[in-house]
Amino acid sequence: MKEHCGHSTDCLKMIQLILDGEATEQQLARLKVNLESCKPCIEMYHLEKEVKELLTKRMEKRCCPEQLVATIKSKILTFS
Amino acid sequence: MATIQEAMSDTPTRDDDQLLPEGDSIDQPSADTPARGYTDEQKYRIFNKEFMPHIDSMYNFAFRLTTDEDDANDLVQDTYLKAFRFISSFEQGTNAKAWLFRILKNSFINDYRKKSKEPAKVDYQDVETTYNSEDAEAEHTVDLRAESVSDLIGDEVATALNSLPVDFRTVIILCDIEGFTYEEMAKILDIPIGTVRSRLHRARNLLKEKLRDYASSMGYNEENEE
Ligand SMILES: [Zn+2]
């Protein structure tokens, strides 16, 4: 297991592509190798995943107020 | 493990650009945007079936951009009225959500940022220049552990996100909160895919720095354990 990653900035970019569902098969295969052999890459992967989940799952989703929906619907009816 | 959607090439793809109005064509439809002759009945049907279902996401986006409920209300209303007025430049069955988000983003930049209560700490162009310069490539990875952020609550994450310059906040909202693809984000923001990717990378580094400050001020860092 590698204690130091010689190209952590590139590895980080690749990890983000993968978590965003934007990576190529080749990048995914490379990540799999790194996740078995490189400690900093494993840690970066967990951190990126955690931060993404904080944003996705833990932040409150604001819903549009009913009043605003009603206002918009009534305003467009006066257009033609 | 995230699923692989498709191989993304480095070159920005602008081939189906006509699906979304150009930056200012929403105020001034350009001659090459094929105007669709929708009947009034069709317009209302498109509006209700394709635009209204996205109103909660639009409101959430507006609120995250303005960080103010009244401004979010006005911004969403303006956006929907514009969308209706320019409905002839929307092609039925194409990506309505991205189309609407693009209008909202442009309205925000043109009309709201000026009067926003948020101090204009960072100039848009300055941010681009600074963070897209070659020097920025030499940045380090942020020293932060997954365990130290896992206890943060939603409000703390929101505060950290709100403290980012708006362009960085925007890419994170679009990608992580709304789940847009890089290609959709490129169209919403009028920037190449390569810029989406690098802006997102930098936005996340800034966010992690904020989260690290939070985590350590809350006593979550593991300094003492070492
Ligand atoms: Zn590595």
Side-chain angles (χ1 to χ4, degrees):
Chain A
M1 184 71 75
K2 285 197 293 175
E3 291 292 325
H4 297 283
C5 182
H7 25 257
S8 55
T9 302
D10 287 339
C11 288
L12 178 58
K13 286 179 179 170
M14 182 181 72
I15 287 167
Q16 291 181 346
L17 289 181
I18 285 160
L19 290 174
D20 291 340
E22 300 273 355
T24 60
E25 291 289 348
Q26 211 181 7
Q27 286 165 321
L28 185 60
R30 230 173 78 203
L31 178 76
K32 278 183 179 154
V33 172
N34 287 7
L35 290 187
E36 281 160 14
S37 60
C38 179
K39 200 162 165 252
C41 275
I42 296 172
E43 285 170 3
M44 282 196 291
Y45 179 79
H46 286 303
L47 176 62
E48 292 307 305
K49 197 160 173 280
E50 186 70 39
V51 170
K52 200 172 163 84
E53 282 178 4
L54 285 178
L55 291 158
T56 318
K57 296 180 187 153
R58 228 169 286 177
M59 270 178 57
E60 182 199 358
K61 285 250 200 298
R62 299 278 180 144
C63 287
C64 185
E66 286 301 321
Q67 181 59 47
L68 179 56
V69 175
T71 306
I72 290 170
K73 284 188 170 172
S74 79
K75 282 195 186 243
I76 65 152
L77 287 176
T78 66
F79 277 52
S80 64
Chain B
M1 182 89 40
T3 54
I4 301 296
Q5 290 176 341
E6 57 173 317
M8 302 302 289
S9 87
D10 275 13
T11 38
T13 53
R14 308 296 302 242
D15 47 328
D16 43 2
D17 225 20
Q18 74 276 9
L19 302 188
L20 292 164
E22 284 305 318
D24 27 42
S25 71
I26 198 61
D27 293 311
Q28 200 178 12
S30 70
D32 51 324
T33 306
R36 288 163 191 87
Y38 296 131
T39 63
D40 282 354
E41 195 189 324
Q42 286 173 317
K43 287 179 185 175
Y44 288 114
R45 201 189 54 77
I46 292 169
F47 192 88
N48 289 321
K49 294 257 156 43
E50 301 202 42
F51 296 175
M52 289 309 280
H54 302 295
I55 200 155
D56 283 334
S57 294
M58 291 280 280
Y59 185 83
N60 196 53
F61 184 40
F63 179 74
R64 294 288 163 213
L65 284 178
T66 60
T67 67
D68 180 272
E69 287 181 7
D70 291 334
D71 284 349
N73 265 278
D74 292 349
L75 184 52
V76 169
Q77 180 170 318
D78 286 359
T79 304
Y80 271 88
L81 297 186
K82 271 185 198 169
F84 189 76
R85 199 168 333 127
F86 294 103
I87 204 160
S88 58
S89 58
F90 173 75
E91 190 181 332
Q92 267 190 91
T94 61
N95 194 335
K97 188 178 175 185
W99 193 80
L100 292 167
F101 267 65
R102 180 175 185 174
I103 300 173
L104 192 148
K105 184 271 301 180
N106 286 339
S107 297
F108 173 69
I109 289 177
N110 297 330
D111 308 331
Y112 285 80
R113 191 138 59 169
K114 299 177 204 119
K115 66 175 188 189
S116 164
K117 293 174 187 95
E118 179 189 7
K121 287 171 291 200
V122 191
D123 178 72
Y124 188 69
Q125 287 303 327
D126 276 0
V127 169
E128 274 312 275
T129 316
T130 310
Y131 289 93
N132 285 335
S133 68
E134 291 302 314
D135 298 348
E137 286 297 321
E139 69 202 307
H140 311 289
T141 51
V142 179
D143 184 25
L144 180 65
R145 295 175 59 88
E147 298 76 37
S148 54
V149 295
S150 60
D151 290 331
L152 293 176
I153 59 168
D155 282 355
E156 293 165 336
V157 182
T159 308
L161 184 62
N162 289 347
S163 71
L164 300 188
V166 71
D167 297 314
F168 291 119
R169 197 170 357 133
T170 304
V171 285
I172 289 183
I173 298 168
L174 293 176
C175 183
D176 293 327
I177 298 178
E178 293 302 331
F180 283 109
T181 64
Y182 290 2
E183 196 178 349
E184 288 168 329
M185 291 168 69
K187 286 175 187 156
I188 293 168
L189 300 172
D190 297 302
I191 55 178
I193 285 183
T195 309
V196 168
R197 202 187 290 122
S198 61
R199 197 181 286 178
L200 198 48
H201 178 71
R202 285 174 193 131
R204 284 172 171 158
N205 276 356
L206 281 180
L207 181 69
K208 279 178 281 179
E209 283 172 12
K210 303 285 181 189
L211 292 176
R212 182 187 54 196
D213 294 346
Y214 244 109
S216 51
S217 72
M218 305 296 276
Y220 293 141
N221 68 344
E222 51 270 55
E223 235 171 64
N224 300 332
E225 293 167 24
E226 292 180 325

